[in-house]
Amino acid sequence: MKKFLKIAGIILSVILLILIVLPFVFKGKIVETLKSEINKTIDARIDFNRLGLNFFRSFPNVSVSLDNLYIAGINEFENDSLFYAESLSATVNLKSLFGNSGYEIRKITLDNAKIHLHVLDNGHANWNITKPDETETADSTASSNFKLLLKSVTVNHSDFRFDNDSTNMNFAFQDLNLNLSGDMTAEKTRIKTNFSLKDMRLVMDNIPYLSNVKVEGNSAIEADLKNMRFTLAENTFQLNEIKGSIEGWVALPDENNTDMDIRLKAPEIQFKDILSLIPAIYSNNFKNVRAAGNVTLDASAKGIMNEEVIPSFNVKLGIDNAYFQYPGMSKSVANIGANIHTFNPGGLADNTVVDISKFHFEMGGNPFDLNLHISCPVSDPDFRLSALGKLNLGDVKEIYPLEDMELSGNLDANLQLATRMSYIEKEQYDKINASGVLNIKQMLIKSKEGKDIQINSANLAFSPRYVDLSAFSAQIGRNDIAGTGRLENFIPYFLKDETLKGTLSVNSNYLNLNDFMSEEAAPSSKDTTAIGVIEIPKNIDFVMNGNFKQVLFDKMDMRDVAGQITVRDGKAGMKNLSMLALSGKLNVSGYYDTGKNPQQPEVSLDLDIKEASFAQTFSTFVTIQKLAPVFENLTGNYSTQLQLKSPLGTDFMPVLSAIDANGLLSSDNVEISNNPVLSGLAAALKNESLKDLKIKDLKLPFSINDGRVTTKPFDVNFGSGVMNLQGSTGLDQSIDYLANVNLSGKLTNNYLNNVNVKIGGTFQNPKFSVDMKSAANEILGNLAGKALGGEGTASQQVTQKVDEQAEKLRKEAEEAGEKLVAEAEKQGRKLIDEANKVSNPLAKIAAVKAAEAGAKKLKEEAQKKAAQLNDEAEKQVRNLTEKVK
């Protein structure tokens, strides 16, 4: 017995040791296999913090877990997170780890996951991340080592979001908790499911159809996995306050078809339960809302569904003698009645009929009726619509708790429409019945933000061809706007998203565009255009003529704005848009285009600016501050004709490195002072007249390319001198200019009149270098000319004796050469003395070295010139001798 216990103890110890060691032995194999499987099938960025193995939790199976699993897209979905889970764990058959036949997964648990499905405008979906199958002829069972033999799936506290940019639809829910259990390995099994989620919402075209909906459900499904037929045995669900169940079955006879016979049952539904699905009503103290009324709801679907056909379905909702009233409110919405019937006999979606034969309510004693019938919705929509009623918006505050909002005014509608879409497309207006009016008078909306909206009047008249806006007048805070116009093609625009055409005339005395920007979109204090991309719809074709007395946009104050704006194909074009701004007159033509690329619009402007202020221009535009910082130091006015083209970034600012522009800046009288470049140049040349300039008749041609502003050569008069300047300024405010300065004999006894100065560094920290070679050549040339007395010297001495003249020429040449060398040495010493005055030690060393090199160069050039003078004297002596002979 003792021997048996000893052996048993040894065996148990070995087993425990194996269970402790196995995670370390097989962990590498699991990671390697997992990454191999992912690389075979996934085209995305995938990462996880830790792979965990546990042989104790579900022995004899092994538990495998991944912590902080992350899947993100690439290319056009580069910053799009598809999937994240704090933990994803699976229970794997331990025996399957010892062979090469694959791992059998029996249970999956997902904790705190976030799933985001996203479809772009071009139809591309972020979940299409599987790599194309390059081994289609190979045995499909060899493509993966995983076998899915599930018996349980658990999801805890997970969120889901689906965004479809192409249809402008958003669907989401939060805090999903799901338990699914059943023997998925059996041919027939009973699958039990219970789930709950919060805040389910559905938004289409920015309209919330569902919001803050809570959903719970329990079901038992008899699953015939061999024949893929699922029978709903027991199930219940609850959407907010609506309770019901679904009965019937769903089958998948093949990969293309789904067969079904299902029925909705909601025997205990109340009118208040229907109200719980209306976002605005359900979110405001819904539990205390009083409501009553008779409700019937019946829904069913039966038949085959695939890509071409849909099953027959029938949905009926009836409401009779209903009302609701909020607690503490004096009035109610009463006499609510509705007959809504949607059905399809099966087959084509075009057989669907939507019939709202009755929708009636009374608000504050004013009745309102709506009727709608739609058939053939796919091929040729045939619809009939009527709306009749009056609403006193002042009654709303006595019906609905508006909290920080106040409403007043009257709305009067009497509309009728009956047509087929084909009548509209073929412009068969005689077959279209469209008539009626919609009038709004003295509508006032007050909110806690203080931006009161008052529509004094809005009169719309409908006809088969047009919607006439005969009068519109509104006040939004201090802003006022009025207009008239006509809209065409409005029915296809609302029903089929076709192009809406129109002409509008708009007037305003005061319009502050800053009032209409959110805090996120409002311009920064330093940027007049940081408002984000504004996309222009491609299905808008408008011609707008506007007159605005005053328009404010951040720091820019525009007066007497008038002109024409056309909106077409995603492009807003301006034609002779005139205004008073920047203390001058502006005329603008061009376009703003989002039709080609909504994420990077393009702007093209032809600007004619007259007598605008340098100072106001600099303080208003960040673009000028970066590309033309010199504007900060200019006083006076300027005029310019500028042609500019540039893409815009997501901040609505021009992409400075991609601006393509050219123009001519002119000014009759401009002053520049406190400019670091001119101050440095004046110091370098010791000419204070360069420091503060008063420039008349400035003509400055310029261009902007590759992020630099380049100026062609132009002259600037200063004191009694002239400076010719050309070069460029970069985005980083680096400068690269060449200045040719005519000093008019002020510095060097007429020996140095012109100096070439290269200006580099940055605008705030410029660097200067004088072209010493050209300066030396000019000094030596002037000295030589003076020493020789000009070209006529030899001819004036032809009557004298050749020997005397020859001696004189040689003597003058020698004296001139000595003077040249002496003057060069003098100038060299001055350069060295000036360099020694530099206060910065490092700069002083560099300056002294440069000055010594310059002095040496001056002397060498002087000596060379002296030799040339001697040679020239000998040449003249020979010429004299030959003439005498």
Side-chain angles (χ1 to χ4, degrees):
M1 185 67 179
K2 291 182 179 179
K3 185 178 181 179
F4 172 77
L5 292 175
K6 184 177 180 180
I7 294 173
I10 293 174
I11 293 174
L12 181 59
S13 299
V14 171
I15 292 175
L16 289 174
L17 180 63
I18 291 174
L19 291 178
I20 293 172
V21 173
L22 275 179
F24 301 98
V25 174
F26 287 101
K27 186 173 181 179
K29 182 179 180 181
I30 295 286
V31 172
E32 181 182 349
T33 303
L34 179 60
K35 290 184 177 180
S36 174
E37 290 293 327
I38 290 174
N39 290 330
K40 276 194 227 176
T41 58
I42 301 298
D43 192 6
R45 290 191 299 110
I46 299 177
D47 194 12
F48 54 87
N49 285 355
R50 187 179 69 88
L51 171 66
L53 294 175
N54 190 307
F55 287 82
F56 293 95
R57 182 181 302 167
S58 51
F59 185 80
N61 297 320
V62 59
S63 177
V64 185
S65 64
L66 293 175
D67 292 343
N68 295 316
L69 175 62
Y70 177 81
I71 303 177
I74 59 175
N75 301 325
E76 58 189 335
F77 295 104
E78 183 67 30
N79 297 317
D80 213 342
S81 175
L82 171 62
F83 178 87
Y84 168 80
E86 185 176 297
S87 175
L88 173 63
S89 62
T91 300
V92 182
N93 186 340
L94 181 60
K95 183 180 179 181
S96 67
L97 295 176
F98 292 90
N100 295 318
S101 60
Y103 300 154
E104 298 179 0
I105 300 178
R106 303 197 172 212
K107 179 181 179 181
I108 294 176
T109 302
L110 186 64
D111 291 321
N112 296 311
K114 296 183 184 300
I115 302 171
H116 179 205
L117 306 183
H118 190 187
V119 180
L120 299 178
D121 281 328
N122 57 17
H124 294 175
N126 69 340
W127 62 83
N128 290 330
I129 59 175
T130 56
K131 291 183 178 179
D133 188 0
E134 298 177 355
T135 58
E136 294 181 358
T137 59
D139 186 355
S140 61
T141 60
S143 64
S144 177
N145 286 330
F146 284 95
K147 292 181 180 180
L148 190 62
L149 301 177
L150 280 174
K151 291 189 177 181
S152 175
V153 175
T154 300
V155 179
N156 298 317
H157 306 296
S158 297
D159 302 338
F160 174 85
R161 189 169 100 235
F162 174 71
D163 297 320
N164 192 328
D165 298 342
S166 62
T167 60
N168 197 18
M169 188 268 281
N170 311 99
F171 174 75
F173 57 76
Q174 296 179 1
D175 199 25
L176 171 65
N177 291 277
L178 167 70
N179 288 292
L180 184 149
S181 60
D183 187 358
M184 307 297 178
T185 64
E187 291 186 355
K188 293 185 178 181
T189 185
R190 187 179 181 90
I191 301 174
K192 293 183 178 181
T193 304
N194 65 80
F195 69 94
S196 67
L197 57 90
K198 300 176 182 178
D199 195 19
M200 184 171 71
R201 55 192 183 277
L202 173 65
V203 179
M204 298 182 67
D205 292 324
N206 299 320
I207 299 175
Y209 289 91
L210 294 175
S211 178
N212 197 29
V213 175
K214 298 178 182 178
V215 184
E216 297 179 0
N218 293 279
S219 68
I221 302 173
E222 299 293 343
D224 183 348
L225 298 178
K226 181 178 181 181
N227 298 308
M228 295 301 289
R229 181 184 175 96
F230 305 90
T231 302
L232 303 173
E234 301 174 7
N235 70 90
T236 59
F237 69 87
Q238 182 171 345
L239 279 70
N240 283 348
E241 305 301 321
I242 295 179
K243 298 179 181 180
S245 63
I246 299 176
E247 295 181 353
W249 54 267
V250 176
L252 306 173
D254 53 58
E255 63 181 9
N256 297 318
N257 294 292
T258 301
D259 196 6
M260 68 186 71
D261 185 0
I262 56 177
R263 296 169 303 281
L264 169 68
K265 286 190 173 183
E268 300 179 359
I269 192 169
Q270 302 294 321
F271 177 66
K272 186 175 180 180
D273 301 338
I274 299 293
L275 292 178
S276 73
L277 294 180
I278 302 175
I281 295 177
Y282 188 69
S283 60
N284 284 276
N285 196 18
F286 182 77
K287 291 183 178 181
N288 297 323
V289 172
R290 296 173 54 197
N294 301 317
V295 178
T296 59
L297 176 63
D298 185 24
S300 64
K302 183 177 182 179
I304 295 291
M305 180 176 68
N306 54 39
E307 292 183 356
E308 297 180 356
V309 302
I310 63 174
S312 66
F313 65 84
N314 189 44
V315 179
K316 290 183 179 181
L317 174 64
I319 301 174
D320 185 42
N321 196 27
Y323 85 98
F324 71 90
Q325 183 175 14
Y326 273 91
M329 297 289 102
S330 60
K331 294 183 179 181
S332 65
V333 178
N335 293 329
I336 302 172
N339 291 322
I340 302 173
H341 187 195
T342 300
F343 63 93
N344 187 307
L348 300 177
D350 198 37
N351 296 329
T352 301
V353 175
V354 177
D355 184 32
I356 304 177
S357 58
K358 176 184 177 181
F359 186 81
H360 173 90
F361 66 88
E362 295 177 8
M363 191 175 76
N366 292 314
F368 199 95
D369 289 277
L370 176 71
N371 297 283
L372 175 65
H373 182 91
I374 301 176
S375 61
C376 305
V378 178
S379 62
D380 186 15
D382 183 356
F383 50 91
R384 297 187 296 275
L385 169 69
S386 67
L388 176 63
K390 295 182 180 181
L391 296 177
N392 182 351
L393 299 180
D395 290 335
V396 174
K397 65 178 178 295
E398 301 180 49
I399 295 172
Y400 186 86
L402 293 176
E403 297 179 355
D404 297 319
M405 181 179 290
E406 182 179 339
L407 289 174
S408 63
N410 295 286
L411 183 148
D412 190 350
N414 186 357
L415 304 173
Q416 296 82 36
L417 175 65
T419 184
R420 299 185 74 97
M421 184 58 67
S422 58
Y423 299 160
I424 299 170
E425 293 172 342
K426 297 176 182 178
E427 298 184 354
Q428 297 173 333
Y429 296 109
D430 57 318
K431 297 181 179 180
I432 301 173
N433 176 22
S435 61
V437 295
L438 176 63
N439 295 324
I440 299 174
K441 292 183 180 180
Q442 299 302 319
M443 178 186 289
L444 176 63
I445 304 174
K446 285 188 174 184
S447 63
K448 63 179 180 180
E449 289 81 7
K451 297 177 183 178
D452 298 345
I453 301 174
Q454 179 163 346
I455 301 177
N456 300 316
S457 63
N459 300 326
L460 292 169
F462 296 82
S463 67
R465 288 176 179 264
Y466 311 112
V467 175
D468 282 316
L469 178 64
S470 59
F472 178 81
S473 174
Q475 189 91 18
I476 305 173
R478 284 188 58 199
N479 304 281
D480 66 273
I481 189 166
T484 59
R486 171 175 286 184
L487 302 179
E488 302 178 47
N489 214 41
F490 68 95
I491 299 176
Y493 171 76
F494 284 105
L495 296 181
K496 296 187 68 175
D497 204 27
E498 294 188 6
T499 301
L500 179 66
K501 301 179 180 180
T503 57
L504 296 172
S505 294
V506 181
N507 303 286
S508 174
N509 293 310
Y510 178 87
L511 189 61
N512 188 343
L513 297 178
N514 300 315
D515 291 343
F516 302 96
M517 298 178 192
S518 65
E519 293 182 0
E520 293 81 6
S524 69
S525 60
K526 296 182 180 180
D527 184 3
T528 63
T529 51
I531 63 173
V533 171
I534 301 173
E535 183 176 355
I536 298 177
K538 291 185 178 181
N539 59 345
I540 296 292
D541 187 348
F542 276 4
V543 176
M544 185 181 76
N545 295 295
N547 285 280
F548 304 87
K549 293 295 183 183
Q550 183 179 13
V551 179
L552 300 178
F553 183 60
D554 194 31
K555 296 180 180 180
M556 192 168 183
D557 187 348
M558 296 165 278
R559 306 291 180 110
D560 296 335
V561 182
Q564 185 181 90
I565 297 177
T566 60
V567 178
R568 185 176 295 118
D569 297 327
K571 179 190 291 188
M574 296 166 286
K575 184 178 180 182
N576 294 326
L577 188 66
S578 63
M579 67 188 74
L580 301 178
L582 306 174
S583 296
K585 296 181 180 179
L586 280 70
N587 188 285
V588 185
S589 296
Y591 64 78
Y592 167 76
D593 187 5
T594 62
K596 298 175 184 176
N597 184 356
Q599 299 306 313
Q600 189 172 70
E602 181 180 82
V603 63
S604 177
L605 298 175
D606 192 341
L607 299 171
D608 186 0
I609 304 175
K610 297 185 184 301
E611 297 301 319
S613 164
F614 282 110
Q616 285 196 30
T617 303
F618 180 83
S619 64
T620 300
F621 297 107
V622 168
T623 303
I624 296 297
Q625 295 169 17
K626 290 187 176 181
L627 289 176
V630 70
F631 271 50
E632 183 179 17
N633 309 113
L634 299 178
T635 58
N637 298 328
Y638 71 93
S639 298
T640 185
Q641 291 182 335
L642 169 66
Q643 294 79 42
L644 179 147
K645 189 174 184 179
S646 173
L648 300 182
T650 54
D651 57 357
F652 205 65
M653 285 189 65
V655 179
L656 299 181
S657 61
I659 292 177
D660 185 4
N662 60 82
L664 174 67
L665 186 144
S666 60
S667 178
D668 295 335
N669 192 358
V670 59
E671 297 183 14
I672 180 169
S673 60
N674 300 320
N675 180 274
V677 176
L678 289 182
S679 297
L681 185 61
L685 298 180
K686 300 204 176 306
N687 191 324
E688 290 298 314
S689 62
L690 282 168
K691 192 172 183 180
D692 298 311
L693 298 181
K694 294 182 179 180
I695 307 170
K696 292 186 177 181
D697 300 324
L698 175 67
K699 303 290 184 184
L700 194 160
F702 66 92
S703 62
I704 306 175
N705 300 100
D706 300 324
R708 298 194 73 84
V709 179
T710 302
T711 59
K712 296 180 180 179
F714 65 98
D715 290 332
V716 175
N717 297 317
F718 64 95
S720 59
V722 178
M723 178 171 60
N724 184 273
L725 192 65
Q726 61 179 310
S728 65
T729 302
L731 288 175
D732 55 357
Q733 297 201 5
S734 62
I735 52 178
D736 182 11
Y737 281 91
L738 177 63
N740 179 266
V741 186
N742 185 313
L743 298 170
S744 302
K746 292 296 182 181
L747 287 179
T748 56
N749 274 334
N750 234 11
Y751 295 132
L752 181 61
N753 294 324
N754 294 281
V755 178
N756 289 329
V757 182
K758 293 182 178 179
I759 308 172
T762 65
F763 192 80
Q764 295 299 328
N765 187 22
K767 306 294 182 184
F768 304 92
S769 60
V770 180
D771 189 344
M772 300 304 298
K773 182 176 181 180
S774 64
N777 286 336
E778 183 178 359
I779 292 173
L780 295 172
N782 288 334
L783 287 171
K786 185 176 181 181
L788 291 173
E791 293 180 355
T793 302
S795 62
Q796 294 171 3
Q797 302 299 325
V798 294
T799 59
Q800 298 180 10
K801 294 179 180 180
V802 174
D803 291 341
E804 293 177 357
Q805 182 62 26
E807 181 64 25
K808 184 178 180 180
L809 286 172
R810 291 186 180 103
K811 185 177 180 180
E812 288 180 347
E814 182 179 359
E815 290 176 350
E818 291 175 352
K819 192 172 184 179
L820 282 172
V821 173
E823 183 66 25
E825 290 176 343
K826 178 182 178 181
Q827 294 297 324
R829 286 194 298 273
K830 288 181 66 176
L831 290 175
I832 295 173
D833 291 342
E834 290 297 325
N836 281 313
K837 294 179 182 179
V838 176
S839 59
N840 186 296
L842 294 178
K844 181 177 180 179
I845 293 172
V848 169
K849 289 184 177 180
E852 290 175 346
K856 183 180 178 181
K857 185 68 174 179
L858 280 173
K859 185 174 181 179
E860 290 175 351
E861 292 291 336
Q863 291 172 341
K864 183 178 179 181
K865 196 67 176 180
Q868 292 175 353
L869 290 174
N870 290 329
D871 292 342
E872 182 65 24
E874 292 299 327
K875 181 179 179 181
Q876 291 191 38
V877 169
R878 288 193 298 271
N879 289 339
L880 288 172
T881 303
E882 290 175 358
K883 288 181 180 180
V884 173
K885 292 179 179 181

